Amino acid sequence: MKLAGLKSIENAHDESIWAVTWVPATETRQSLLLTGSLDESVKLWKPDELHNEGTNTGHCLGVVAVAAHPSGVIAASASLDSFIRVFDVDTNSTIATLESPPSEVWQMQFDPRGINLAVAGGGSASVKIWDTATWELIATLTVPRPEGSKPSDKSGSGKFVLSVAWNLDGSRLACGSMDGTISVFDVSRAKFLHHLEGHFMPVRSLVYSPGDTRLLFTASDDSHIHMYDADGKSMVGAMSGHASWVLSVDVSPDGAALATGSSDRTVRLWDLKMRAAVQTMSNHTDQVWGVAFRPPGGTGVRAGRLASVSDDKSISLYDYS
C-alpha cells in the first residue's frame, strides 16, 4: 500500500480540528467526511474535492469527538460542554441530545450493528453505553480500581478514560486510559474482563482489526503503537518511529495497514506484515489529532481514501492503493 497526497484544505475550521470520521455511503449518496473542531462546529465534506457540504453548530465549547452510525444516516458529535448531539446527516436535524457530567464525554463509537453508542467517560473512569433506539443510558462499564487501593479512596479507579473501540462483532469493547492501561469488557454481560498492559502514557486512540475479533491496535503518548490479542491478554507486536506522542490510529479496511497521526506533525503508514513504517507524510504543520480510512461501499468508488486533521486547522486527503 502506498499513499499519494490528493488534496489539502487550509483553514477548514476556525480553530484546531480534533476529530474526524467517515460517514458511510447510503443508497442516495457517497460517503462523507465529518470533522469536529475547537471552534465548536462540526462540518461535512465531499470526499474528493473537500467541498463543504454543511456546517453544524449547537455546541458551546470545542468538539472533541465525532462518530458515524454504520447506516450512514445519523452521526454524533461530543463536546467539552458535556453534551452529545445526535443528528440526521442529510437534514442536520437533531435526533437526540445526551448529557453527561463535566469531563465525562470523550471519544465515542457506534457498535458495528448500530444498536449502541459507546462513550469514553473521562473522569468517571467508565464507558457509557447508550441505546440508539431510545437514546437511554443502558449500561455503565466501570474500569476497576487499581489493586491495593482502599475502598475509601475518593479518587475512584484513578483512571481517566480517553478512547473506546468495538470489536468486529460487537461482543467486546476496549477503552484506553490516561495512565496507559487498556481495559477490555464483555458487552453482553457488562463485565470487565482484564487489562492490557505495555503502555505507560495516555492511550488516546485504539481500533480493532476489521478482520479479526481479537486483534487490537493502540496508540500512545509514549510514541509506540502496540498490537494485542485482546482476548488472550498478550501483546503480539510493537512498532515505533514517531518522534513524539501518537495521537490517533486507524486500520485500513483490508486489515493490512495502519495509519497514525502524531504530535510530531506527521502521518505514518505502517505495513502490518513488515510491522514497520513504510511511508511518512508531512502535509501538516502542527499536531495531527485524527486519521481515518474511508470504509468500503458506495457506487463508483474505486480508490481508497485516508483523511487526516490537525491543530493547524487543515484537512488532508490521500489516495491509497
Side-chain angles (χ1 to χ4, degrees), residues 142-176:
T142 302
V143 176
R145 63 177 64 241
E147 292 182 12
S149 62
K150 298 176 182 178
S152 60
D153 183 1
K154 293 182 180 179
S155 65
S157 73
K159 297 185 187 297
F160 191 101
V161 180
L162 292 165
S163 51
V164 67
W166 295 91
N167 75 342
L168 178 64
D169 62 10
S171 63
R172 296 283 187 270
L173 194 66
C175 66

Side-chain angles (χ1 to χ4, degrees), residues 109 163-168 172-176 180-185 194-197 199 203 205-219 225-239 249 251 258 272:
Q109 188 179 26
S163 51
V164 67
W166 295 91
N167 75 342
L168 178 64
R172 296 283 187 270
L173 194 66
C175 66
T181 59
I182 297 144
S183 307
V184 180
F185 295 88
H194 48 256
H195 291 305
L196 302 174
E197 298 181 346
H199 289 299
V203 177
S205 183
L206 36 69
V207 61
Y208 272 95
S209 168
D212 186 335
T213 58
R214 299 169 65 111
L215 187 58
L216 179 70
F217 306 101
T218 62
I225 299 103
H226 288 174
M227 303 165 56
Y228 292 94
D229 176 344
D231 288 357
K233 297 190 287 186
S234 58
M235 186 165 69
V236 295
M239 298 178 289
V249 61
V251 60
L258 289 182
L272 289 175

Side-chain angles (χ1 to χ4, degrees), residues 18-20 36-38 61-66 77-80 105-107:
W18 274 13
V20 62
S37 167
L38 290 189
L61 288 172
V63 176
V64 295
V66 290
S77 56
S79 166
L80 293 169
V105 176
W106 295 92
Q107 262 189 26

Side-chain angles (χ1 to χ4, degrees), residues 71-94:
S71 69
V73 175
I74 63 173
S77 56
S79 166
L80 293 169
D81 64 13
S82 301
F83 286 96
I84 297 167
R85 179 177 180 252
V86 184
F87 59 94
D88 182 291
V89 172
D90 293 322
T91 67
N92 192 27
S93 58
T94 299

Side-chain angles (χ1 to χ4, degrees), residues 110-126:
F110 289 94
D111 75 20
R113 293 182 296 165
I115 296 171
N116 298 312
L117 175 66
V119 181
S124 68
S126 68

